[in-house]
């Protein structure tokens, strides 16, 4: 199982690096293709849109594929998308390439999670999924800084070449480490679409899309908050952001182990933890030391990811590929929702720390959806 999980994790590392590195290279991208920095930021939105659309579409269309073959194909598309992004001559072509690159993102993680869970011994499914997700969270700690350094020294296009090369490596490791898995008997696009008829699938996706948005509400504006409110020098921002990455890694590992012991209790507890962390950020953001600690704790909110992934597997019945892939569409919806509402609060004159209160409201919203899910379970029982 170790070789399979490492190969799947390397694929996640490539995707995580490719998703987040562009955020630190927007000035270079804008200057090279002749647009403003806000316009260059549209490539981030294009990628996210690709994730949201690609996850359900590819999961349904590839329902009859063997899982190892599908994972290799998805990584091939991701590699080609990054190489093409590095060659994009202008604004429109770069946006198109980033959209196409985002298409395999959600389906890859969904299928990788299913493979990891199927290979895991009893009672260790969430831990196996957490190992796959460790590639994504570890990318914020190692992959993004390396790719960003390459982008600074050799141009932003070099960062995408680096990401594409890791994707090619992941293809080879998945081919070598993941055992052959024949398609599920009776698998078809129509059967996968059956997941959308299940109430608990929608409720679980709602928990992620709403409850997880609080982290993005704060993190989307973390740099101006640290510099304007805490008084952190600009040169210190990368070190504090590294703490955020460390928090994501720690949260992913701890959350996966908690989910193996008590899945639903873990989801509820982590939503409450989000309320505490996001509310505490409002007060901690005024001093450098406490702001740094709060940023680390902010990263730990990602602990809910493996638990929600396992919950979707449990409630999806025989339509697990689509449900698992939709988990990452939900997370990208949380990204968009949290960043937008945080921006609304700041534009309304409520200050940089108001994003913490926005996050609290979103976490409470996630708790409300979680309560509805528990009530539906009791009613069914």
């Amino acid at each position: 199982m170790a070789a399979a999980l490492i190969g799947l994790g390397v694929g996640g590392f490539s995707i995580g690096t490719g998703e987040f590195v562009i955020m630190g290279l927007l000035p270079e991208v804008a200057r090279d293709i002749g647009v403003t920095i806000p316009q260059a930021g549209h490539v981030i939105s294009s990628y996210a849109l690709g994730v949201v659309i690609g996850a359900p579409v590819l999961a349904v269309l590839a329902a009859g594929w063997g899982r190892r073959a599908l994972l290799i194909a998805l990584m091939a598309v991701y590699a080609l998308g990054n190489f093409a992004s590095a060659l994009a001559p202008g604004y429109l072509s770069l946006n198109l390439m980033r959209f196409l690159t985002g298409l395999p993102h959600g389906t890859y993680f969904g299928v990788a999670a299913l493979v990891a869970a199927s290979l895991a011994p009893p009672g260790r499914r969430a831990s196996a999924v957490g190992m796959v997700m460790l590639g994504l969270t570890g990318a914020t700690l190692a992959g993004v800084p390396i790719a960003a350094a390459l982008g600074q020294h050799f141009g932003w296009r070099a960062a995408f070449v680096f990401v594409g090369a890791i994707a090619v490596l992941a293809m080879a490791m998945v081919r070598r480490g993941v055992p052959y898995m024949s398609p599920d008997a009776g698998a078809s696009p129509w059967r996968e679409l059956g997941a959308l008829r299940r109430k608990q699938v929608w409720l679980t996706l709602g928990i992620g899309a709403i409850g997880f948005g609080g982290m993005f509400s704060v993190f989307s504006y973390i740099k101006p908050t640290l510099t304007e409110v805490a008084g952190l020098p600009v040169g210190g921002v990368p070190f504090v952001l590294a703490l955020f990455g460390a928090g994501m890694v720690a949260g992913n590992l701890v959350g996966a182990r908690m989910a193996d012991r008590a899945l639903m209790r873990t989801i509820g507890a982590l939503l409450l933890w989000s309320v505490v962390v996001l509310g505490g950020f409002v007060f901690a953001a005024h001093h450098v030391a406490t702001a740094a600690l709060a940023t680390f704790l902010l990263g730990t909110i990602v602990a809910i990811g493996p638990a929600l992934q396992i919950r979707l597997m449990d409630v999806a019945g025989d339509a697990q590929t689509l449900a698992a892939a939709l988990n990452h569409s939900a997370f990208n919806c949380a990204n968009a929702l949290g960043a937008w509402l945080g921006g609304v609060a700041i534009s309304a004159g409520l200050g940089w720390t108001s994003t913490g209160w926005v996050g609290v409201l979103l976490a409470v919203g996630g708790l409300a959806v979680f309560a509805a899910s528990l009530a539906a379970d009791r009613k069914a029982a």
Side-chain angles (χ1 to χ4, degrees):
M1 185 178 69
L5 293 181
I6 292 172
L8 296 172
V10 171
F13 185 85
S14 173
I15 292 177
T17 303
E19 180 179 17
F20 293 112
V21 70
I22 188 65
M23 299 174 185
L25 296 173
L26 284 182
E28 289 79 5
V29 173
R31 185 166 54 249
D32 186 47
I33 63 177
V35 297
T36 65
I37 291 178
Q39 286 176 316
H42 294 164
V43 301
I44 299 173
S45 302
S46 296
Y47 182 93
L49 182 63
V51 177
V52 173
I53 294 175
V57 171
L58 294 181
V60 170
L61 292 178
W65 286 45
R67 287 177 176 170
R68 184 178 67 179
L70 179 56
L71 287 167
I72 294 172
L74 292 169
M75 268 290 102
V77 173
Y78 196 75
L80 291 173
N82 278 286
F83 291 140
S85 297
L87 298 173
Y91 172 78
L92 291 177
S93 59
L94 181 58
N95 274 279
L96 176 60
M97 290 303 102
R98 295 316 292 162
F99 171 79
L100 295 175
T101 306
L103 291 176
H105 177 131
T107 308
Y108 176 85
F109 277 114
V111 175
L114 291 172
V115 170
S118 69
L119 295 175
R124 296 294 306 276
R125 289 188 305 157
S127 293
V129 172
M131 291 302 295
V132 175
M133 297 297 294
L134 187 62
L136 177 63
T137 56
T140 62
L141 194 60
V144 171
I146 294 172
L150 289 172
Q152 295 287 350
H153 285 88
F154 302 105
W156 62 271
R157 298 175 190 273
F160 287 131
V161 173
F162 173 70
V163 173
I166 300 175
V168 171
L169 174 63
M171 290 170 59
M173 295 182 71
V174 169
R175 176 67 181 82
R176 184 179 180 86
V178 176
Y180 171 77
M181 295 181 177
S182 59
D184 292 339
S188 70
W190 292 113
R191 193 177 80 175
E192 290 299 328
L193 288 170
L196 302 180
R197 295 196 298 268
R198 298 175 181 270
K199 182 179 180 180
Q200 286 290 6
V201 168
W202 286 105
L203 288 173
T204 305
L205 293 173
I207 294 171
I210 298 172
F212 198 52
M215 188 192 80
F216 293 107
S217 173
V218 174
F219 186 67
S220 297
Y221 306 96
I222 191 68
K223 183 175 180 178
T225 304
L226 291 172
T227 55
E228 299 293 331
V229 179
L232 180 72
V234 175
V237 172
F239 298 99
V240 177
L241 294 184
L243 290 176
F244 175 80
M248 291 183 73
V249 172
N252 180 70
L253 293 174
V254 174
R257 291 191 173 233
M258 291 172 59
D260 277 331
R261 294 191 178 97
L263 181 62
M264 296 304 284
R265 288 183 182 178
T266 295
I267 294 174
L270 291 175
L271 288 168
L272 288 172
W273 173 246
S274 298
V275 172
V276 173
V277 170
L278 294 164
F281 183 87
V282 176
F283 304 99
H286 294 276
H287 304 281
V288 171
T290 53
L293 174 61
T295 303
F296 171 82
L297 296 177
L298 183 68
T300 65
I301 294 176
V302 80
I304 200 171
L308 291 178
Q309 191 79 68
I310 294 297
R311 173 64 172 168
L312 278 170
M313 294 179 193
D314 290 344
V315 300
D318 56 3
Q320 294 202 356
T321 303
L322 176 58
L326 283 173
N327 193 37
H328 294 273
S329 291
F331 287 160
N332 275 269
C333 288
N335 190 347
L337 180 64
W340 174 63
L341 290 177
V344 169
I346 294 169
S347 299
L350 299 179
W352 295 110
T353 59
S354 63
T355 58
W357 294 126
V358 171
V360 168
L361 292 175
L362 287 170
V364 170
L367 276 169
V369 180
F370 175 69
S373 179
L374 289 178
D377 269 349
R378 293 193 192 100
K379 184 176 180 180

